[in-house]
Amino acid sequence: MAARAAEGADAAPPERQGNVHPVTGRQKHNILMVSDFFYPNVGGVEQHMFQLAQFLIRRGHKVVMMTHAYGERAGVRWLTNGLKVYYIPQQPFYNGNSLPTIYGALPMLYDTFIRERIDIVHCHQAFSNLAHEAIFHAGTMGITTCFTDHSLFGFADASGILMNKLLKFTLSDINHVICVSHTGKENTVLRARLNPSDVSVIPNAVDTRCFTPDPLARPPDYRERINVVIISRLVYRKGMDLVAQVLPVLCERHPQMHFIIGGDGPKKLVLEETVQKYRLHDRVEFLGAVESKDVRDVLIRGHIFLNCSLTEAFCIAILEAAACGLLVVATKVGGVPEVLPPDMIVFAEANASDLVRAVEQTLPRIPGMDHE
């Protein structure tokens, strides 16, 4: 789209000829990004949308966000570089999603399309009901639509069957689809019955200027114990039950090992019960929800980053950890094998015994540490 516009202002429709960046000469677009998952909620999708919006703004485009209200955060808010966010008056219905409807958000979507003169609607995450509605209504109004899928879903469970039917309906007239890994592309193409040529793979990226090692900022006991960092939503899909099984085994075998767990979610109770049962209060540190700006400060405290996900299309967290100089241990699921080269990551099967094996395999690679 940008390439076609770059051929010259004469190629643009008359009403858009003046909407050209004065420096790059590219066509400027008014883009609406829609998802139920955005700040102040913390996660990979939220971070991806914010960073993508910032770079689009720097390239001269106008970007507007739409998500549901988060408690008292409702109405219009302005974020960095003039990023406008509509927190529409819909409360989460289940797991952060707004109530599934067909026309519930139509008045607000229609008003935003017209008010902001939107010519591209970019929606994120298959589980976002608001995203599905935005794609449907934008398509009926002739607005160019794009969808990015950030997750993998099955084909046999009830939620997968329902979601795949909805995805097939929503994406039947989509202009283009983006997936974050080749595994994710295969999964989405099969679920939504898409033509593979209509789907592109664009891996997630990390601004490594924001995630750098800092030896001077490490804690005083950095060389006296092995810090294993876990930063994730504490939910079943992220393998928190596996973490609960791994904790007592590794703590018993390695007295110098210490766990730093950042994040919040329903599985936090399982982890707290494990700490209580095995009396690991001085070995496990719970940080609670970690804001995006503080993630790097947590990562540089660690030696090993542990990811126990049961399903993952990409996992941007392991990319951030590697950029901060941590050794990465991760379950070999979904698109995770596509993220890092083999010398920067140790893979494990999604079971406790193999995760223990993988963590212990990384210990000799920690410089200046006695592992006996």
Side-chain angles (χ1 to χ4, degrees):
M1 212 174 300
R4 292 198 299 270
E7 295 176 359
D10 293 337
E15 68 274 11
R16 302 277 302 174
Q17 286 183 2
N19 199 14
V20 176
H21 196 280
V23 177
T24 64
R26 296 190 181 97
Q27 183 74 47
K28 293 191 293 183
H29 295 284
N30 298 333
I31 304 167
L32 176 66
M33 292 191 187
V34 184
S35 180
D36 278 307
F37 309 101
F38 191 62
Y39 294 154
N41 195 46
V42 178
V45 176
E46 295 84 348
Q47 182 179 353
H48 171 84
M49 291 178 63
F50 177 79
Q51 292 182 346
L52 176 59
Q54 293 301 313
F55 278 94
L56 287 169
I57 290 172
R58 292 176 194 174
R59 292 173 69 90
H61 303 291
K62 175 183 176 180
V63 183
V64 179
M65 294 282 186
M66 179 177 285
T67 186
H68 61 68
Y70 281 88
E72 296 182 354
R73 185 180 287 260
V76 179
R77 300 293 179 96
W78 295 87
L79 302 184
T80 307
N81 291 329
L83 176 59
K84 189 176 184 180
V85 185
Y86 286 90
Y87 290 94
I88 66 175
Q90 289 185 339
Q91 293 300 320
F93 170 70
Y94 171 74
N95 201 23
N97 282 295
S98 56
L99 182 68
T101 63
I102 298 178
Y103 297 104
L106 175 58
M108 287 162 286
L109 286 167
Y110 177 82
D111 183 70
T112 304
F113 294 158
I114 302 301
R115 180 195 302 272
E116 305 293 346
R117 299 184 178 182
I118 299 299
D119 52 25
I120 297 176
V121 173
H122 187 184
C123 298
H124 295 257
Q125 191 61 305
F127 256 129
S128 171
N129 296 308
L130 187 59
H132 288 286
E133 290 191 41
I135 293 172
F136 175 72
H137 296 304
T140 61
M141 294 179 65
I143 299 174
T144 300
T145 53
C146 179
F147 172 73
T148 296
D149 201 353
H150 295 264
S151 300
L152 303 177
F153 296 95
F155 298 86
D157 57 291
S159 62
I161 293 172
L162 292 173
M163 179 52 62
N164 296 344
K165 289 291 185 182
L166 176 60
L167 199 66
K168 182 181 176 182
F169 169 76
T170 304
L171 303 187
S172 61
D173 196 32
I174 197 82
N175 291 98
H176 203 71
V177 175
I178 300 170
C179 292
V180 297
S181 65
H182 292 281
T183 302
K185 175 179 178 178
E186 181 180 3
N187 183 262
T188 301
V189 166
L190 292 174
R191 287 160 51 218
R193 306 283 183 88
L194 295 170
N195 186 333
S197 62
D198 294 332
V199 184
S200 297
V201 176
I202 305 177
N204 289 327
V206 166
D207 187 352
T208 53
R209 296 172 298 179
C210 301
F211 293 92
T212 56
D214 187 357
L216 298 178
R218 288 168 178 166
D221 59 356
Y222 182 80
R223 293 193 175 277
E224 299 174 5
R225 66 184 186 184
I226 300 170
N227 291 328
V228 180
V229 177
I230 301 170
I231 299 182
S232 171
R233 288 190 295 272
L234 306 185
V235 297
Y236 171 77
R237 186 175 70 84
K238 294 294 185 178
M240 290 303 114
D241 294 291
L242 290 176
V243 174
Q245 298 176 49
V246 165
L247 283 176
V249 178
L250 288 174
C251 287
E252 180 182 6
R253 292 186 184 181
H254 305 280
Q256 76 276 45
M257 191 168 287
H258 181 82
F259 287 84
I260 303 171
I261 301 177
D264 202 357
K267 287 296 181 178
K268 184 177 181 180
L269 180 61
V270 175
L271 299 177
E272 291 175 334
E273 289 176 345
T274 301
V275 170
Q276 181 75 22
K277 178 179 179 181
Y278 293 96
R279 301 180 181 179
L280 302 176
H281 302 84
D282 60 338
R283 309 286 299 280
V284 180
E285 178 183 355
F286 289 102
L287 303 179
V290 180
E291 294 188 19
S292 298
K293 63 181 179 65
D294 299 324
V295 169
R296 184 255 184 185
D297 295 335
V298 176
L299 289 174
I300 61 175
R301 296 176 56 189
H303 301 85
I304 299 170
F305 183 83
L306 181 60
N307 171 60
C308 299
S309 295
L310 303 180
T311 176
E312 202 76 72
F314 185 85
C315 191
I316 199 170
I318 66 176
L319 201 56
E320 296 170 346
C324 288
L326 279 71
L327 298 170
V328 177
V329 175
T331 46
K332 195 174 184 179
V333 298
V336 172
E338 303 177 30
V339 180
L340 292 172
D343 61 325
M344 299 181 68
I345 188 169
V346 177
F347 292 112
E349 298 300 324
N351 62 72
S353 60
D354 205 43
L355 279 167
V356 170
R357 187 270 313 163
V359 172
E360 292 179 333
Q361 184 178 330
T362 65
L363 298 183
R365 298 169 58 182
I366 301 176
M369 189 73 64
D370 183 8
H371 311 294
E372 299 299 329

